[in-house]
Amino acid sequence: MPIEIRKLHEVADMLPNWRLITQLTPELSEQEYRTLLAAMIPHNYFQAAVYEGDACVAVSGYWLGHKLYSGRYMEIDNFVVDEAHRDRGIGDALVKWLVDEAWREQCKHVMLDAYVENFRAHRFYYRHGFHARGFHYLLKL
């Protein structure tokens, strides 16, 4: 079955993707997801969702912004391909769509974070031309 990738702008369109997002972030409640989306969307947050028919089989959030060291950029956030649909090129198609979107948005860089222990993601992103540039530090409050 062919896939279709759609850019999502609205909370209502993103809400059905909660179960997919929890494959990466299992502790995220549906209510917290709803609340966070409402807070994030006004700050240039979008989702790219991959559909096979009516089923969403992959999703990635992304932000558009500016930083002094990078200029205009896209940050990929919560990139998830459904476990049952991996190793079929869906992730490759989604990365290509995101990079093309960054070009359309006149970004100078595409960046992302990957969990330190997620070696499969590291290999995936290296294969797509990304390289590790630094460390992402986190102080939990």
Side-chain angles (χ1 to χ4, degrees):
M1 177 176 285
I3 63 169
E4 176 188 4
I5 301 177
R6 301 179 201 154
K7 179 177 181 176
L8 307 180
H9 306 84
E10 305 292 332
V11 171
D13 296 329
M14 296 178 192
L15 284 176
N17 298 333
W18 170 71
R19 290 204 188 280
L20 193 53
I21 294 286
T22 61
Q23 289 185 21
L24 182 64
T25 312
E27 67 278 3
L28 182 66
S29 73
E30 192 170 5
Q31 181 55 48
E32 186 177 14
Y33 178 63
R34 178 189 307 269
T35 300
L36 289 170
L37 288 176
M40 293 161 43
I41 288 172
H43 298 283
N44 290 325
Y45 176 81
F46 305 92
Q47 285 183 354
V50 181
Y51 293 89
E52 280 187 334
D54 293 332
C56 183
V57 297
V59 67
S60 179
Y62 66 96
W63 301 84
L64 298 172
H66 296 81
K67 293 188 181 195
L68 293 176
Y69 76 89
S70 67
R72 185 160 173 80
Y73 71 96
M74 172 189 282
E75 181 177 353
I76 295 173
D77 189 30
N78 293 294
F79 187 104
V80 183
V81 177
D82 182 75
E83 292 171 354
H85 295 275
R86 292 184 184 161
D87 298 318
R88 296 181 38 219
I90 292 170
D92 297 330
L94 184 52
V95 166
K96 181 184 181 324
W97 187 95
L98 288 162
V99 170
D100 289 347
E101 176 74 356
W103 279 105
R104 286 187 291 272
E105 291 287 345
Q106 301 178 344
C107 294
K108 293 182 177 182
H109 296 90
V110 178
M111 55 185 79
L112 59 93
D113 289 333
Y115 294 133
V116 173
E117 66 276 7
N118 193 344
F119 300 112
R120 186 173 182 174
H122 302 174
R123 286 189 305 275
F124 177 81
Y125 293 121
Y126 278 125
R127 200 170 66 244
H128 286 281
F130 290 84
H131 66 276
R133 178 71 176 99
F135 296 97
H136 179 91
Y137 289 93
L138 179 69
L139 174 65
K140 187 167 181 160
L141 301 177

